[in-house]
Amino acid sequence: MAKFCRFDLRTTDAGGARAFYARLLGHDRATIWPLHEQALARGARPHWLGQLGVQDVERVAAAFVERGATPLGPTRPNADGGQTAVLRDPGGAVVAVSTPPPASAEASVDVVWHVLNTNDAARARASYGELFGWDVERGAHGDLHEFAWQAGGPSAGAIADVAGRPGVHPHWLFFFEVDALEPAMAVTRDAGGVVVERVVLPGGERACVCDDPQGAAFALRERRSSA
């Protein structure tokens, strides 16, 4: 079983992005890196990169490639002394596999829902299910197929087929939880970001999909009242 252990933002204005997310999320723990010039030359846009924690990065990356993923550069050392490999998955979304950080390490950001937008949902469910042990048959809600990190576990996100949806490219979309949706949307707009659409998640939570001021996609989920 593997789940996301790190989330890094790669962007064209690290300082501006840091100020925005600190205001939006109420802390400045987000890990933010300048988007490399070579990536920009290849047409990459600012994005959040999710890293799946695995013990043997080389083996898992090779197995992912056997299933149709494309490596985006060599395996590299990471800040915790482990390794990270970045790939484009079989459905076209960029994702990484990485040695997990120490258990004592504080999370950079808290992600409460994970959506894979893909050009091939059936292949994505098979690839992530077989390779990472996910339970990918949790039921469908429209074009969303829920998944859990393991059988019997709570839903962690969904896989969405975006083939045929103009303007939607394959990518992992990560949801941050906020106390109230409208004020967070106002912060996003005031900073120059865009609220793309409002959505209701399978559990009934109110959410919205956004682009940050530099153009990286992210989403917000409103915390449900305990009442």
Side-chain angles (χ1 to χ4, degrees):
M1 184 270 290
K3 61 182 180 180
F4 286 104
C5 63
R6 291 186 181 88
F7 302 92
D8 294 351
L9 176 64
R10 300 183 176 192
T11 187
T12 51
D13 180 359
R18 185 171 301 281
F20 167 68
Y21 284 102
R23 183 181 174 200
L24 180 68
L25 303 178
H27 63 75
D28 62 356
R29 299 196 311 268
T31 302
I32 299 174
W33 301 96
L35 191 58
H36 198 280
E37 291 181 359
Q38 292 180 355
L40 288 169
R42 294 195 301 266
R45 56 177 292 175
H47 62 278
W48 280 94
L49 177 66
Q51 302 181 34
L52 291 162
V54 299
Q55 295 301 323
D56 190 335
V57 171
E58 292 280 8
R59 181 189 65 79
V60 173
F64 215 174
V65 170
E66 289 177 358
R67 288 168 170 78
T70 303
L72 300 178
T75 299
R76 300 183 182 278
N78 61 35
D80 297 316
Q83 294 180 305
T84 298
V86 181
L87 307 102
R88 190 177 303 280
D89 76 14
V94 176
V95 69
V97 291
S98 180
T99 310
S104 59
E106 186 177 24
S108 58
V109 291
D110 297 318
V111 173
V112 294
W113 190 253
H114 317 71
V115 171
L116 173 58
N117 293 288
T118 179
N119 281 332
D120 193 336
R123 190 176 187 185
R125 292 199 303 274
S127 297
Y128 284 92
E130 294 168 4
L131 189 55
F132 300 111
W134 296 359
D135 176 3
V136 296
E137 303 298 336
R138 301 299 295 268
H141 303 268
D143 63 351
L144 291 177
H145 298 262
E146 285 190 73
F147 67 83
W149 304 131
Q150 59 188 346
S155 292
I159 295 172
D161 196 336
V162 298
R165 291 179 57 186
V168 182
H169 65 282
H171 67 286
W172 273 102
L173 181 67
F174 303 113
F175 288 67
F176 308 121
E177 193 167 60
V178 293
D179 290 333
L181 201 59
E182 277 72 19
M185 291 165 57
V187 168
T188 300
R189 292 191 181 104
D190 289 348
V194 178
V195 176
V196 178
E197 64 175 332
R198 292 172 178 256
V199 296
V200 178
L201 299 182
E205 300 92 343
R206 298 171 65 235
C208 64
V209 179
C210 306
D211 286 343
D212 73 15
Q214 289 73 43
F218 70 98
L220 300 169
R221 189 183 83 176
E222 186 173 69
R223 182 176 289 108
R224 298 187 74 172
S225 170
S226 58

